[in-house]
Amino acid sequence: MFLPIHDANSLKRIEFQYVTVLLILANVIVFVMTQIPAGERLIASFSVIPRELIGVNYLGPANGPNDVLPIAEGFTMLSYMFLHSDIFHLVGNMLFLWVFGDNVEDAMGHLTFACFYLLCGVFAGLAHAWMLPTSSIPMIGASGATAGVIAAYLMLHPRVNVWVLVMKFVPVQVSAAIALGFWVGWQIVMVLLPQVGPVAWWAHVGGLAAGAVLVLFLRRRGVPLFS
C-alpha cells in the first residue's frame, strides 16, 4: 500500500526519542536471534496462538505440539510483538515506528510511551484471539503495537505533512490525515472480509482502538489533540 519515510514534525518536549530507538533495536536483535535454526523453533513458544491462549490459564503454559519451551501464555502477549516472519515484515513495522513513534513519545514522555506501546500490543493480541478463538496459526509482529502509535499520531498531528512511498517506489507528500486515515480505513475494510492469508487484521484494529483511547489519557498535560 504505502511506506512512510519522513514527517515534517520536530520534537518539542524531549531531546531524543530514546524509547522508540530502543524498541526498534530490540525488534532487530530478536529478529537476528530467530534466524538461527534453534531460534526459529522458539517462535511457536513465544507467539500468540489464539486456540492455546483462550484454552488455558494465562499464568500457565499451553504446552502446544510445537512449543519447545513451557512459556506462560500470558507472557506471549508481550513476546509476540518482538517477533517477525521475515525482513520485509520487520522493516515495514519499524519504518512506521521510526517515523511516527518519536512524536507520540514526545507527547507522552519516555516511560509513559513505553507503557503505551506495550499496552497497545497486548490489546491487539487479545483482540485477535477473541475474534479468532479457534485459530492455531501463530501470530507475531509489532503491527498491533505500531497501529496504536498510528492512531495516537493521527489524533495528535493530523495536519502534518508526511512523505510516503506509494506502491513502494513513488514518493508522495500528503497530510497525515490522508495517509494514515487511508491506512486505518483499509484495516477496517479488511476485517469485514473473510479472514484469509497471514495478516492479523483484527490485531491491527485492536491496536488502533487501544491507541485512540489511551492517547486521550496518557498524553502530557497541555498537549492538544488534532494539533
Side-chain angles (χ1 to χ4, degrees), residues 42-48 69 71 75-76 79-80 83 139-140:
L42 294 176
I43 290 181
S45 296
F46 288 94
S47 61
V48 169
L69 287 176
I71 303 300
F75 180 74
T76 66
S79 60
Y80 89 93
L83 299 167
M139 183 187 71
I140 58 176

Side-chain angles (χ1 to χ4, degrees), residues 7-14 102-103 106 153 157 160:
D7 66 332
N9 197 0
S10 60
L11 299 176
K12 301 175 180 62
R13 301 167 188 86
I14 60 175
D102 59 339
N103 295 109
D106 186 49
Y153 190 99
H157 307 291
V160 168

Side-chain angles (χ1 to χ4, degrees), residues 80-102:
Y80 89 93
M81 66 183 87
F82 293 93
L83 299 167
H84 290 85
S85 58
D86 54 46
I87 190 66
F88 302 105
H89 190 200
L90 173 70
V91 170
N93 280 332
M94 294 305 100
L95 268 175
F96 276 90
L97 180 56
W98 172 253
V99 174
F100 303 116
D102 59 339

Side-chain angles (χ1 to χ4, degrees), residues 80-160:
Y80 89 93
M81 66 183 87
F82 293 93
L83 299 167
H84 290 85
S85 58
D86 54 46
I87 190 66
F88 302 105
H89 190 200
L90 173 70
V91 170
N93 280 332
M94 294 305 100
L95 268 175
F96 276 90
L97 180 56
W98 172 253
V99 174
F100 303 116
D102 59 339
N103 295 109
V104 180
E105 183 175 347
D106 186 49
M108 295 182 176
H110 304 301
L111 181 59
T112 303
F113 174 70
C115 295
F116 166 84
Y117 180 88
L118 295 175
L119 285 171
C120 287
V122 168
F123 193 83
L126 288 173
H128 174 76
W130 286 335
M131 297 308 299
L132 300 170
T134 61
S135 174
S136 58
I137 300 174
M139 183 187 71
I140 58 176
S143 303
T146 55
V149 172
I150 289 170
Y153 190 99
L154 188 56
M155 294 182 65
L156 291 167
H157 307 291
R159 302 175 191 175
V160 168

Side-chain angles (χ1 to χ4, degrees), residues 152-227:
Y153 190 99
L154 188 56
M155 294 182 65
L156 291 167
H157 307 291
R159 302 175 191 175
V160 168
N161 287 328
V162 179
W163 279 98
V164 300
L165 289 178
V166 179
M167 305 304 292
K168 300 182 180 180
F169 297 105
V170 183
V172 177
Q173 187 180 41
V174 294
S175 70
I178 294 175
L180 300 183
F182 179 81
W183 189 88
V184 171
W186 182 253
Q187 312 312 305
I188 295 173
V189 168
M190 293 308 294
V191 297
L192 299 178
L193 300 176
Q195 297 295 291
V196 296
V199 180
W201 298 107
W202 276 112
H204 296 185
V205 172
L208 285 168
V213 173
L214 290 173
V215 70
L216 299 175
F217 305 99
L218 297 184
R219 71 189 194 280
R220 295 175 189 263
R221 182 175 298 179
V223 173
L225 295 174
F226 308 109
S227 173

